[in-house]
Amino acid sequence: MKVQNISKAKRISNNMDAINEKRSNVSRGAFATALGAVVATLGSAVGLGNIWKFPYVTGENGGAAFLIVYVICTLLVGLPVMISEIAMGRKARANAITTMQRVSEKNNQPWWLIGAVGALAAFVILAFYTEVAGWVYAYVLKSLGGGVLSSDPAVTAKFFTDLVTSPAQSLLWQWIVLVVISVIIILGVSKGIERATKFMIPSLFVLVLVVAIRSLTLDSGATSQGLAFLFKPDFSKITAEAVLVAMGLAFFKLSVGMGTMITYGSYWQDDQNVPVKTTIIMFSDLLVSLLAGLAIFPAVYAFGFEPTAGPSLLFITIPAVFASMPLGQVFMLLFFLLTAFAATGAMLSLIEVPVAFLNERFNLSRAKATILTSILLAVIGSTAALSSSTLANFRPFRKTMFDLFDFLSSNIMLPVGGLFIAIFVGWVWGRKNVEAELSNHGMLKNQTVISGFLFITRFITPVLVVLVLLRGLGVF
Ligand code: TRP
């Protein structure tokens, strides 16, 4: 029965491609199993955003109050946009740009621009993401040598600084990352992405849990300080910019606003319950972030680090936690290895956006599309890789290139993309299409869910995004 469904879904999607993409040479992949689709999508959401970005951004913006704003943004902005993207992608079974063209066929407005800007956003994000992933890969290797392991903040901080200020090391690690993701992407959707993530995600979860437990048992005073920082809100710390950063993080964490989820949705099966599965993905992603926070903040206080250390936070605190643990070196190796896996899973979903587009639209083979994309990324990304060394003083808009790429993508491109996706689905695509997709053409009896979704997507998401954007950017 199941096998039949899948092959039927594949047949339908292949027929659609035959009709819509006149050129040959394109055969669409799909996730092979329902669980595989969910795990692969979770694999896109869980990444450096959880392990690296969430703790340091929460640290910089005052902790618990920021966390609350972040959760609100996830529920009212991130999740609705995610449901919208998956639903449209699954309906059109195509890359983000073609999907937007197909779902908006009836009106002659340029909604495909959402997909096009999204493909650009993938480059902007990957430009700095491949660099941070490079640091993680480097830490894997260096864990083997044991040199990083120390409970002295000065030592772990120096170790990190030496790495990021070396132009040769920064570039080399970024290139290694690019080669790794290119190889996996060339292997294809089901074989590559699905197989890789299915084992990465559960192992990562267990390891972060282990680190969190160790961190929470280091020193009871530090533990209560760490917990208070994460869970006791002080709303005086919330500025308009902090709210913008929280919303940006919600987009970034759920991989929404630029077509990743449209692309992944196009590989989802027709009988998946989209609202339920996306909600599960959202909560699992949040759980991993919280665990990462629990792994880091008690340790921050136990060892005398600063929660506001910024992007270096993960790389300087985690080695200290492991230094105080039996078999610390082994665990640290495992931790960075799994973080490297998670980062890789997320990058696959990013690079898949331009690759699927080049493949389907220009009839480039996956291999050629991937190589072309990677070369471009090496060029653009090098400016981020060198932003702590050679290009440290090159600061357009008073930001290093690394910070600029980060700010531009999370705080502008993704929210703007998400805004238009919500407007399109709520107001243009409309109730009939939304109902058909979210109820699997009447198979699911979830009217209330659909009405709630439509209400939020129409009235709440767009208004929130516009207000937060304008206020955060200082327009009013
Ligand atoms: N969500 C991933 C993370 O947390 C990053 C990511 C993957 C992403 N694909 C994306 C972010 C698309 C924005 C858009 O690490």
Side-chain angles (χ1 to χ4, degrees), residues 349-362:
S349 74
L350 280 160
I351 199 171
E352 179 68 16
V353 175
V355 168
F357 171 64
L358 291 172
N359 171 233
E360 295 180 17
R361 181 58 72 83
F362 297 106

Side-chain angles (χ1 to χ4, degrees), residues 21 44 64 80 104 109 150 180 183 190 197 222 224 237-238 242 264 274 305 313 332 336 348 369 384 427:
E21 302 279 340
S44 160
S104 64
Q109 292 153 343
S150 164
V180 170
V183 170
S190 178
T197 47
S224 51
K237 294 195 176 136
I238 291 294
Y264 268 37
V274 175
F305 293 107
L313 189 65
M332 183 160 77
F336 281 108
L348 295 178
W427 296 101

Side-chain angles (χ1 to χ4, degrees), residues 310-349:
S312 62
L313 189 65
L314 170 77
F315 298 94
I316 59 182
T317 41
I318 286 292
V321 180
F322 287 116
S324 62
M325 213 166 146
L327 292 178
Q329 194 180 343
V330 178
F331 276 107
M332 183 160 77
L333 175 65
L334 271 175
F335 177 83
F336 281 108
L337 196 61
L338 288 168
T339 305
F341 285 151
T344 306
M347 288 186 289
L348 295 178
S349 74

Side-chain angles (χ1 to χ4, degrees), residues 44-45 47-50 125 129 252-253 255 258 260 346 349-350 414:
S44 160
L48 293 171
N50 306 60
I125 295 172
Y129 206 104
F252 188 86
K253 284 285 341 85
S255 311
M258 46 78 70
T260 282
S349 74
L350 280 160
L414 299 179

